[in-house]
Structures are given as C-alpha cells and as structure tokens.
C-alpha cells in the first residue's frame, strides 16, 4: 500500500479537512508538520521538493505531491460514500466546495488567521483596511449556508459528503475570526451533526 503523508500545520482548517476526511474513511495518514507563521513552507527545500507555491496542505502519495485541500480530499474519498453517486449530486457537492474556496474561506479563514494568530495590533494598514469587507462577505457566506441548512441536514443529499467536510473546517471555528455563530442556528445544528459522526476527530 502506498504511504500517504500530509504536509500540514495543525492550526490550518485546510489541513484539517484532509485529516477529517481520512478519519471518517478509516484511512491511515502520516503527517509532517510545518509552522507557516515562521515561514517553514517558504524555504528553498520546501519550494523545490514539496510545493513551489509555498503553501500547505500538500498530500504526498508515494513520491507524488498533490496541493490544494479539496483536491486532496477528493483523492482520499474517491469511490467512497463521501462522494455521491448521482452525477447531479456530485456536481452540487463540487459547487459547495467551490463556494467554500471562493466565498467562504478567503473571508472567514483570513479573519481567523488575522485576529486569532496574528493579532489585530500586528496587522498592516492594508490588512486593517480589508477587515470590514471580509467581515461582511463572511457573514453573507454564513447566512447563505444557514438558509440552505434550515431545510436540509446536509449540504448535498441525505448524508455527509465532502461538501460538509470542506465547509465544516473553518465554519466551526469562525468565532475565532469574530463571527457570531449564534446568529446562524441552522449552521450550529449542522456543526453538532458533523461533530457526532462516527470516527469524527477534532481540529488540532
């Protein structure tokens, strides 16, 4: 069996998605940790050997390297119940995963990183100038999710899929970015459903 290793920072929600996917599927997953704040993914060795884009997560399969969290989740979940069989449901799952990367993560995850790990006093003037727009966009993403979940237990179909895993990672810690999850009751109920799944693992 080909060894699979996750190059990660355990504080990252994008890395957590992959670990949660592997855990729910009962797949073994080795890890190698980096401190992104200390610049450990920007070293010449990392850029040459792991990811020339200087980012994590990267899923290493044997001697091949797969960047991008949602691509790595897809690789691990291929052929499993986490990917719906119906072609429309598959596309709908991808729709939510694209939404997570374009509308959700750039706002909610960025605010979490700035406030929880960097600290507002350490932000640059450019970062401070972006905060209001990111807060508004993050709240819009959470509101859209809440509206959908008000009528559905899961984002796609009748069971958990990669769409839920992708969106859960940063949503369940959105309060660390200053977002009040109490304003989104359907999201809160969904977070509880995900956390009660068999073989669920917490972030970290």
């Amino acid at each position: 069996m080909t060894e699979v290793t996750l190059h990660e920072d355990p504080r990252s929600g994008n890395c957590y998605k992959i670990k949660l996917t592997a855990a729910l599927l009962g797949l073994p997953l080795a890890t190698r940790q980096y401190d992104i704040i200390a610049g450990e993914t920007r070293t010449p060795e990392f850029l040459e050997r792991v990811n020339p884009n200087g980012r994590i997560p990267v899923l290493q399969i044997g001697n091949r390297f797969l960047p991008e969290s949602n691509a790595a989740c897809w690789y691990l979940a291929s052929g499993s119940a986490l990917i719906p069989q119906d072609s429309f449901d598959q596309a709908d799952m991808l729709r939510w995963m694209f939404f997570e990367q374009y509308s959700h993560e750039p706002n909610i995850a960025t605010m979490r990183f700035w406030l929880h790990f960097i600290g507002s006093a350490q932000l640059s003037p450019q970062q401070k100038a972006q905060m209001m727009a990111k807060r508004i966009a993050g709240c819009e993403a959470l509101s859209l999710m809440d509206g959908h979940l008000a009528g559905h237990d899961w984002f796609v179909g009748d069971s958990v899929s990669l769409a839920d895993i992708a969106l859960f990672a940063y949503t369940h810690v959105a309060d660390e970015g200053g977002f009040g999850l109490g304003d989104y009751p359907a999201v809160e109920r969904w977070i509880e459903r995900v956390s009660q799944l068999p073989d669920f693992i917490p972030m970290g």
Side-chain angles (χ1 to χ4, degrees):
M1 184 177 181
T2 304
E3 182 177 6
V4 179
T5 301
L6 175 64
H7 297 259
E8 63 138 359
D9 185 324
R11 298 169 293 188
S12 162
N14 282 326
C15 297
Y16 173 55
K17 294 176 196 173
I18 301 168
K19 292 193 289 188
L20 181 55
T21 299
L24 295 179
L25 295 172
L27 299 175
L29 184 66
T31 60
R32 179 174 175 181
Q33 296 184 355
Y34 303 80
D35 185 338
I36 57 174
I37 296 176
E40 292 181 359
T41 65
R42 301 287 176 169
T43 64
E45 178 188 4
F46 184 93
L47 295 173
E48 180 179 351
R49 193 179 75 86
V50 181
N51 185 6
N53 197 26
R55 297 174 181 270
I56 49 175
V58 176
L59 192 66
Q60 180 180 354
I61 305 104
N63 61 0
R64 296 189 293 175
F65 294 84
L66 182 63
E68 301 296 339
S69 58
N70 288 347
C73 289
W74 179 279
Y75 173 84
L76 292 176
S78 180
S80 79
L82 291 179
I83 298 177
Q85 292 187 347
D86 178 78
S87 59
F88 181 88
D89 286 347
Q90 279 189 13
D92 199 28
M93 181 192 77
L94 290 172
R95 181 263 294 213
W96 284 110
M97 294 172 77
F98 297 149
F99 164 83
E100 186 267 339
Q101 285 289 281
Y102 286 111
S103 302
H104 181 281
E105 191 265 1
N107 301 299
I108 293 171
T110 299
M111 288 292 289
R112 173 179 179 257
F113 183 73
W114 286 353
L115 296 179
H116 192 65
F117 295 110
I118 303 300
S120 57
Q122 306 302 318
L123 298 179
S124 70
Q126 293 82 4
Q127 289 169 327
K128 290 178 179 179
Q130 295 178 59
M131 286 182 67
M132 182 57 70
K134 287 192 175 294
R135 183 170 303 284
I136 291 170
C139 289
E140 288 175 348
L142 290 169
S143 180
L144 190 150
M145 292 167 61
D146 198 68
H148 179 79
L149 291 168
H152 304 83
D153 285 345
W154 307 102
F155 277 96
V156 179
D158 298 323
S159 62
V160 63
S161 73
L162 289 183
D164 299 285
I165 294 172
L167 284 162
F168 178 82
Y170 281 114
T171 300
H172 85 291
V173 290
D175 60 317
E176 295 177 356
F179 296 95
L181 288 175
D183 295 332
Y184 310 99
V187 169
E188 286 195 312
R189 291 192 296 271
W190 166 77
I191 288 172
E192 181 63 22
R193 279 192 292 277
V194 175
S195 67
Q196 295 302 313
L197 290 169
D199 300 313
F200 173 88
I201 57 169
M203 190 173 179

